[in-house]
């Protein structure tokens, strides 16, 4: 008999939302709806939705395919077509899916893009990715150059540069692709809804400061950020989802309950951790179980900030629509310099009273991974806590070695337990 | 007949000298001068020069340096260049540099700027965000501000006031240098039997550590000396090499290509010496001239966005034809995301143009050349046997 997977009601709601979105995409052509492909970090979802453009996020397709065990074949297909084994597997999964007929993760055919909105926040690979897709689809590409913030502070000059590009390049391109005029009032309304949902997301994420934490902010966190980081930001659906999620989490917190995992509820929170880096998607459940088995709960993570540092005060602002969209693009986690990333993780460790931190270094993502070993040592120095370093990949099943990952994690948890016992003995 | 051996030997010593002795000598002779390092693939050296500084290209440590600390900073799937650069820094070999410029070449170099800030808190670090929007009123305005900021900060180091006349004079010097570099490429494409790929690479690469005036003098001497050579052409294949714009190949690899029967008539090594293509205007606002040169240059690289889909690969095809290369070798550093992601598009453009190509990967410390020699040799033979030329 297939084991039952524990799910929160909000997860079921989200599942329906995602399925609905893929169905909309599958039927976009027959309904005459235009489609824009774009990337998650620094996305301009409200702006696209204000033109009635239906967004597609290729990274989301890739990770959904990985969770459904489809990514290995797609990557192999891309490599057969000449793509190097060394490069980002999100890209190859997407290219492979395209080469194999562009059937989306839910089995419905993905529509070709009417426009590629290339806002390459925090990742150079995005640029190459859409250059590759552009070769295939031959559709218009709107490029938004989002400057990197090496000091971790969004500067006025960079914001002005992005705003001017939005006005002069992006909006005209979206007007042309959608056949609709820019409607700032509509955008403001959407941004109002975004801010409401963002408030609730922050409450959910910060609930992990409570002991025991009612959420897992990494494995569970990827579900919590899903709607807000993708196609639903700026919609009533997202507002409703986050209200329900918030109530659910607050309920668990009041009852003193731990997070829900696929294996059931965590009833004994042994370790509180901060995690840096994206999760592995091909063995997501197995990976999560390694933490669950040890009573390890992730109380804060950086991956849940790739689509915005809402917990540091950012909100989409209907009174400054383009300015706040620009600040959003500029302020996403991977667009910030390493010193700020180190500072943020150190703050999380302190604010969430973490026992330690884990860096999941993924082969595919230089933007995240390059420099993480230096970050590890710097965070250890600043916090006095030892960190764990594990290596996996995003969507390439060949790079997830369960035995190695488990051994490293188990050793780390043993070390944390011994340190705790030693401290108690003293 | 003149002999170029001493000149080439000197260039070789400069390339091999990981202690940057020539930079130390320059600083001894210029007590108020500063040395500023820059990583691939492009930095406006004129700005450093005008501020009274010596721009120093830092392109890794090649095959000679044993990497110990660098490997503790980077995972196995990150390219080799950053680990050797950090090794150089952590072993004190870059102490002579007051600061570093990290251009927006890729995520790895970008994050290296952060590593620098964390590891060397007293050093000047500038992340050079080259615009990917090429409209003067957008990317141009953004880039001008960056250049002005960089110029002002560097002048503060040397106690100078930013001076546009001095900047214009620097532009003129680097224009001259770029013209000589272009002459070298053109002469080598015309008569590759007179210009060895390895020796011309050494002569070019010496320019990363020398004052521009001195490098220009070397280029002049080399060009004049090679013109007098009476070398006879061999029945080699003329190839263009692509993909080595950042992490440099080991010198032995370039030599291996020559020994495999290839005349390297075009390459993308060291773009910092060739970009922007053509002169930077010496009239009007010099900062504006540097901006326009970047926005308008036809130079194509994997880290520079190509706005028009139909232009993708065009410069590679054009330069291959212009230099009469009979085929292209993609020599790409392992784990170089920009080059490796770009390669299928470049290959598609070559296929459309009917130009043969082959590809392999290397690291700056690759030691085993036999497989590369066999592959390059087979490619050269196939061009000679079955090519149209």
């Amino acid at each position: 008999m297939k084991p039952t997977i524990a799910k929160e009601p909000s997860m079921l709601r989200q599942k329906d939302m995602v399925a609905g979105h893929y169905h909309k995409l599958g039927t976009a052509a027959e309904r005459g709806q235009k489609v824009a492909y774009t990337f998650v970090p620094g996305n301009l979802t409200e702006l696209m939705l204000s033109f009635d453009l239906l967004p597609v996020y290729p990274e989301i397709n890739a990770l959904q395919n990985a969770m459904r065990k489809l990514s290995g074949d797609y990557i192999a297909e891309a490599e057969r077509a000449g793509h190097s084994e060394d490069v980002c597997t999100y890209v190859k999964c997407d290219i492979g899916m395209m080469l194999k007929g562009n059937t989306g993760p839910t089995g419905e055919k993905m529509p070709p893009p009417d426009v590629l909105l290339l806002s390459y926040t925090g990742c150079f690979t995005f640029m190459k990715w859409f250059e590759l897709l552009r070769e295939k689809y031959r559709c218009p590409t709107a490029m938004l150059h989002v400057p990197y913030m090496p000091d971790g502070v969004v500067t006025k000059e960079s914001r002005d540069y992005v705003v001017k590009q939005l006005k002069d390049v992006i909006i005209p391109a979206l007007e042309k692709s959608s056949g609709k005029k820019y409607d700032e009032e509509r955008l403001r309304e959407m941004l109002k809804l975004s801010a409401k949902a963002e408030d609730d997301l922050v409450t959910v994420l910060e609930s992990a400061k409570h002991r025991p934490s009612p959420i897992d902010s990494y494995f569970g966190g990827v579900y919590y950020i899903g709607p807000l980081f993708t196609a639903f930001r700026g919609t009533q659906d997202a507002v409703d989802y986050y209200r329900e999620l918030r109530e659910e989490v607050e309920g668990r917190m009041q009852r003193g309950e731990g997070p829900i995992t696929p294996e059931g509820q965590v009833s004994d929170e042994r370790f509180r951790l901060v995690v840096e880096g994206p999760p592995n998607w091909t063995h997501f459940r197995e990976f999560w179980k390694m933490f669950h088995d040890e009573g390890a709960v992730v109380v804060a993570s950086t991956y849940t900030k790739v689509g915005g540092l809402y917990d540091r005060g950012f909100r989409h602002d209907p009174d400054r629509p383009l300015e706040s969209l620009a600040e959003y693009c500029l302020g996403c986690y991977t667009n910030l310099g390493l010193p700020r990333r180190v500072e943020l993780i150190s703050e999380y460790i302190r604010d969430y009273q973490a026992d330690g931190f884990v860096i999941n270094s993924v082969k595919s993502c230089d933007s995240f991974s390059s420099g993480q070993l230096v970050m590890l040592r710097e965070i250890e120095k600043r916090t006095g806590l030892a960190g764990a370093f594990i290596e996996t990949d995003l969507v390439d099943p060949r790079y997830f070695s369960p035995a190695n990952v488990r051994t490293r994690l188990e050793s780390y948890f043993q070390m944390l337990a011994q340190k705790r016992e030693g401290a108690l003995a003293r | 007949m003149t002999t170029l051996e001493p000149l080439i030997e000197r260039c070789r010593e400069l390339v091999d000298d990981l202690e940057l002795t020539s930079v130390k000598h320059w600083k001894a002779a210029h007590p108020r001068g500063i040395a500023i390092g820059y990583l691939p693939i492009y930095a406006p050296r004129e700005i450093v020069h005008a501020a009274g500084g010596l721009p120093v290209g830092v392109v890794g440590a090649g095959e000679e340096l044993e990497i110990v600390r660098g490997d503790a900073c980077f995972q196995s799937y990150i390219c080799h260049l950053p680990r050797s650069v950090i090794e150089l820094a952590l072993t004190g070999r870059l102490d002579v540099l007051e600061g570093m410029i990290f251009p927006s070449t890729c995520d790895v170099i970008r994050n290296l700027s952060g590593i620098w800030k964390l590891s060397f808190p007293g050093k000047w670090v500038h992340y050079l965000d080259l615009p990917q929007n090429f409209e003067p009123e957008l990317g141009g305005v953004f880039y001008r501000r960056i250049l002005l900021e960089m110029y002002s900060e560097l002048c503060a180091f040397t106690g100078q006031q930013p001076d546009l006349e001095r900047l214009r004079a620097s532009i003129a010097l680097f224009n001259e240098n770029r013209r000589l570099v272009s002459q070298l490429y053109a002469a080598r494409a015309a008569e590759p039997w007179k210009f060895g790929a390895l020796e011309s690479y050494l002569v070019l690469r010496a320019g990363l550590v020398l004052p521009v005036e001195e490098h220009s003098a070397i280029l002049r001497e080399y060009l004049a000396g090679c013109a007098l050579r009476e070398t006879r052409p061999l029945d080699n294949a003329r190839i263009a090499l692509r993909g080595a714009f950042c992490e440099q190949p080991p010198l032995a690899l370039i030599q291996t290509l020559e020994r495999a029967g290839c005349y390297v008539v075009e390459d993308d090594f060291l773009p910092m010496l060739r970009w922007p293509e053509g002169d930077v205007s010496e009239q009007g606002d010099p900062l504006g001239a540097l901006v326009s040169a970047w926005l308008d240059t036809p130079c194509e690289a994997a880290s520079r966005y190509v706005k028009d889909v139909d232009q993708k690969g065009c410069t590679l095809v054009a330069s291959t034809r212009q230099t009469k290369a009979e085929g292209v070798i993609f020599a790409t550093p392992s784990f170089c995301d920009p080059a490796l992601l770009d390669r299928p598009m470049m290959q598609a453009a070559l296929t459309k143009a009917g130009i043969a190509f082959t590809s392999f990967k290397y690291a700056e410390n690759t030691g085993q050349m036999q497989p590369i020699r066999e592959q390059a040799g087979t490619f050269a033979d196939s061009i000679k046997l079955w090519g149209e030329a």
Side-chain angles (χ1 to χ4, degrees):
Chain A
M1 199 175 104
K2 209 174 168 186
T4 315
I5 298 173
K7 286 196 169 159
E8 300 163 284
S10 61
M11 283 174 82
L12 298 173
R13 185 188 188 106
Q14 184 180 150
K15 196 177 171 194
D16 289 343
M17 287 163 74
V18 171
H21 182 67
Y22 276 111
H23 183 64
K24 274 190 197 169
L25 288 169
T27 56
E30 64 198 65
R31 292 182 297 104
Q33 188 164 10
K34 300 285 178 66
V35 172
Y37 283 22
T38 198
F39 294 109
V40 170
N43 66 62
L44 301 167
T45 296
E46 297 91 339
L47 190 62
M48 290 184 287
L49 293 177
S50 77
F51 285 100
D52 288 322
L53 288 162
L54 204 50
V56 171
Y57 308 88
E59 316 102 295
I60 303 296
N61 292 341
L63 72 88
Q64 292 278 354
N65 280 323
M67 291 176 101
R68 290 165 169 81
K69 310 290 180 198
L70 299 167
S71 58
D73 284 349
Y74 289 152
I75 290 166
E77 182 73 16
E79 288 180 358
R80 275 194 292 275
H83 293 268
S84 170
E85 65 274 23
D86 286 359
V87 302
C88 172
T89 53
Y90 267 171
V91 178
K92 285 186 289 187
C93 183
D94 189 42
I95 300 265
M97 184 182 88
M98 186 175 76
L99 293 173
K100 283 195 149 200
N102 224 19
T103 301
T106 55
E108 291 187 81
K109 192 145 174 98
M110 298 295 293
D114 294 288
V115 61
L116 295 167
L117 176 47
L118 173 49
S119 60
Y120 80 128
T121 299
C123 171
F124 281 95
T125 296
F126 288 158
M127 188 171 88
K128 309 314 298 175
W129 192 340
F130 271 8
E131 280 186 348
L132 286 160
L133 292 195
R134 186 178 68 171
E135 296 247 316
K136 165 76 179 169
Y137 290 117
R138 295 267 152 186
C139 66
T141 305
M143 162 63 138
L144 177 67
H145 174 212
V146 177
Y148 184 60
M149 299 291 103
D151 297 320
V153 180
V154 174
T155 62
K156 180 186 175 303
E157 293 78 12
S158 294
R159 187 196 67 198
D160 292 349
Y161 173 43
V162 174
V163 168
K164 195 156 170 51
Q165 289 179 83
L166 290 175
K167 286 178 178 169
D168 294 1
V169 180
I170 302 301
I171 289 174
L174 297 185
E175 283 181 329
K176 199 171 171 189
S177 296
S178 66
K180 297 191 173 169
K181 291 296 287 179
Y182 171 55
D183 182 347
E184 192 155 286
E185 276 315 303
R186 194 172 181 208
L187 178 62
R188 285 179 204 275
E189 287 305 313
M190 289 178 170
L191 294 176
K192 254 186 228 170
L193 296 175
S194 300
K196 265 191 201 172
E198 288 157 4
D199 281 343
D200 282 340
L201 172 67
V202 171
T203 305
V204 168
L205 294 177
E206 294 196 334
S207 71
K209 289 178 180 169
H210 189 264
R211 278 179 185 266
S213 169
I215 63 163
D216 184 286
S217 210
Y218 186 54
F219 298 103
V222 301
Y223 291 97
Y224 304 150
I225 59 173
L228 204 54
F229 283 15
T230 62
F232 303 98
R233 206 177 61 234
T235 67
Q236 188 59 44
D237 273 351
V239 173
D240 295 343
Y241 166 80
Y242 282 100
R243 193 177 49 232
E244 180 177 334
L245 175 65
R246 177 185 176 153
E247 287 167 5
E248 196 175 272
V249 169
E250 284 176 341
R252 277 211 302 277
M253 191 160 70
Q254 281 157 14
R255 294 189 296 275
E257 292 172 358
I260 305 284
T261 81
E263 317 305 322
Q265 190 172 296
V266 179
S267 52
D268 175 22
E269 180 188 275
R270 288 182 66 217
F271 305 112
R272 295 167 65 83
L273 301 172
V274 171
V275 175
E276 146 79 6
N280 164 271
W281 300 107
T282 55
H283 298 72
F284 186 79
R285 188 176 164 190
E286 194 177 350
F287 193 21
W288 193 349
K289 189 171 183 298
M290 292 178 194
F291 286 70
H292 173 269
D293 288 350
E294 299 284 343
V297 174
V298 181
V299 289
S301 68
T302 54
Y303 184 69
T304 50
K305 313 299 160 12
V306 290
L309 266 73
Y310 298 113
D311 63 334
R312 288 301 182 259
F314 174 80
R315 293 290 182 280
H316 284 90
D317 183 353
D319 294 330
R320 303 161 53 250
L322 297 184
E323 288 79 2
S324 80
L325 282 174
E327 286 162 3
Y328 173 67
C329 295
L330 291 158
C332 290
Y333 179 70
T334 46
N335 203 46
L336 305 177
L338 259 54
R340 178 62 188 133
R341 286 171 57 182
V342 164
E343 203 174 73
L344 194 67
I345 295 168
S346 304
E347 287 168 10
Y348 285 156
I349 289 170
R350 184 195 62 209
D351 297 347
Y352 288 79
Q353 298 174 53
D355 302 304
F357 66 100
V358 176
I359 294 181
N360 181 35
S361 181
V362 295
K363 172 190 170 283
S364 272
C365 185
D366 288 348
S367 177
F368 250 112
S369 303
S370 182
Q372 279 177 328
L373 283 162
V374 177
M375 289 173 68
L376 172 84
R377 289 192 286 276
E378 189 66 27
I379 296 163
E380 285 181 337
K381 197 167 78 185
R382 290 186 191 192
T383 62
L385 295 178
F389 199 88
I390 52 177
E391 292 183 77
T392 68
D393 187 46
L394 293 167
V395 294
D396 191 336
R398 295 171 296 187
Y399 294 104
F400 188 86
S401 169
N404 285 342
V405 174
R406 182 180 288 280
T407 304
R408 283 202 184 192
L409 285 173
E410 283 177 353
S411 305
Y412 183 64
F413 295 137
Q414 275 173 21
M415 187 271 291
L416 287 183
Q418 282 165 5
K419 280 185 95 167
R420 183 179 288 167
E421 283 163 17
L424 284 175
R426 279 196 299 276
Chain B
M1 186 181 143
T2 61
T3 172
L4 289 170
E5 274 172 26
L7 180 137
I8 292 162
E9 189 52 37
R10 178 165 179 243
C11 291
R12 173 98 200 203
E13 282 168 13
L14 288 165
V15 170
D16 286 343
D17 178 21
L18 302 179
E19 308 297 327
L20 297 178
T21 312
S22 65
V23 178
K24 287 173 187 158
H25 288 163
W26 182 87
K27 283 184 75 175
H30 301 81
R32 294 183 66 186
I34 53 169
I36 300 294
Y38 60 93
L39 268 87
I41 58 176
Y42 169 74
R45 295 173 293 160
E46 294 88 340
I47 298 276
V48 178
H49 184 269
L54 177 69
V56 179
V58 179
V59 294
E63 63 264 59
E64 294 304 322
L65 185 68
E66 187 189 359
I67 306 299
V68 180
R69 299 194 209 179
D71 280 344
C73 294
F74 292 98
Q75 302 89 318
S76 55
Y77 50 80
I78 304 286
C79 59
H80 203 271
L81 177 129
R83 63 190 78 228
S84 73
V85 170
I86 201 80
E87 184 80 24
L88 289 170
L90 291 172
T91 51
R93 292 175 168 95
L94 301 183
D95 285 356
V96 67
L97 306 176
E98 273 80 10
M100 289 281 273
I101 298 170
F102 296 87
S104 52
T105 302
C106 66
D107 294 319
V108 172
I109 289 185
R110 186 197 69 184
N111 286 7
L112 189 57
S113 71
I115 292 178
W116 226 263
K117 285 187 174 180
L118 290 169
S119 307
F120 311 103
K123 293 280 185 182
W124 180 80
V125 177
H126 191 101
Y127 177 71
L128 176 64
D129 212 334
L130 293 159
Q132 300 284 5
N133 176 296
F134 304 107
E135 298 302 321
E137 68 278 12
L138 291 167
V141 171
F142 169 76
Y143 188 39
R144 192 182 192 286
R145 187 186 55 75
I146 287 178
L147 292 184
L148 182 58
E149 185 183 285
M150 192 194 292
Y151 189 26
S152 304
E153 286 177 12
L154 289 171
C155 283
F157 255 121
T158 53
Q160 296 184 4
Q161 285 299 312
D163 179 340
L164 297 184
E165 274 312 312
R166 217 170 40 242
L167 181 54
R168 193 172 292 120
S170 298
I171 287 173
L173 284 172
F174 282 91
N175 274 342
E176 186 197 20
N177 187 261
R178 275 187 290 267
R179 281 196 293 269
L180 288 162
V181 170
S182 294
Q183 280 177 37
L184 172 49
Y185 271 92
R188 193 180 66 177
E191 298 179 299
W193 49 92
K194 290 187 177 178
F195 298 81
L198 177 60
E199 63 172 42
S200 61
Y201 175 77
L202 293 170
V203 166
L204 288 165
R205 189 159 154 184
L208 299 188
V209 293
L210 289 174
V212 62
E213 303 89 333
E214 209 177 319
H215 186 233
S216 292
I218 285 177
L219 288 167
R220 269 189 229 98
E221 188 182 340
Y222 180 66
L223 279 161
C226 287
L228 296 174
R229 281 176 170 164
E230 292 175 353
T231 324
R232 281 190 307 167
L234 299 173
D235 188 27
N236 282 359
R238 299 169 60 92
I239 64 106
L241 191 137
R242 182 86 177 190
F245 51 84
C246 182
E247 180 176 322
Q248 297 296 290
L251 301 179
L253 191 152
I254 303 173
Q255 201 164 33
T256 296
L257 295 179
E258 291 189 294
R259 288 178 179 164
C262 297
Y263 281 137
V264 181
V265 294
E266 171 60 14
D267 60 60
D268 62 355
F269 304 141
L270 308 171
M272 60 280 278
L273 298 178
R274 299 176 81 183
W275 283 21
E277 194 174 290
D279 279 356
V280 177
S281 173
E282 293 170 33
Q283 309 299 316
D285 167 28
L287 277 176
L290 284 170
V291 170
S292 300
W294 168 258
L295 299 182
D296 299 338
T297 187
C299 294
E300 189 182 338
S303 59
R304 189 178 150 98
Y305 180 58
V306 175
K307 196 174 169 187
D308 180 356
V309 60
D310 293 319
Q311 290 300 310
K312 191 77 193 170
C314 281
T315 56
L316 174 61
V317 171
S319 67
T320 305
R321 285 182 173 148
Q322 193 186 336
T323 56
K324 298 188 173 63
E326 297 161 291
V328 174
I329 291 180
F330 290 93
T332 311
S334 295
F335 303 110
C336 175
D337 253 18
L340 290 168
L341 285 162
D342 214 42
R343 199 173 66 186
M345 293 181 275
M346 293 295 114
Q347 291 176 339
L350 292 177
T351 302
K352 201 171 158 192
I355 298 169
F357 58 83
T358 189
S359 59
F360 57 77
K361 291 188 290 185
Y362 67 85
E364 61 176 349
N365 65 342
T366 296
Q368 177 55 265
M369 291 298 154
Q370 192 54 30
I372 290 173
R373 183 168 182 162
E374 284 171 13
Q375 189 177 345
T378 305
F379 183 60
D381 288 348
S382 71
I383 285 175
K384 298 313 290 182
L385 288 171
W386 296 296
E388 287 174 32

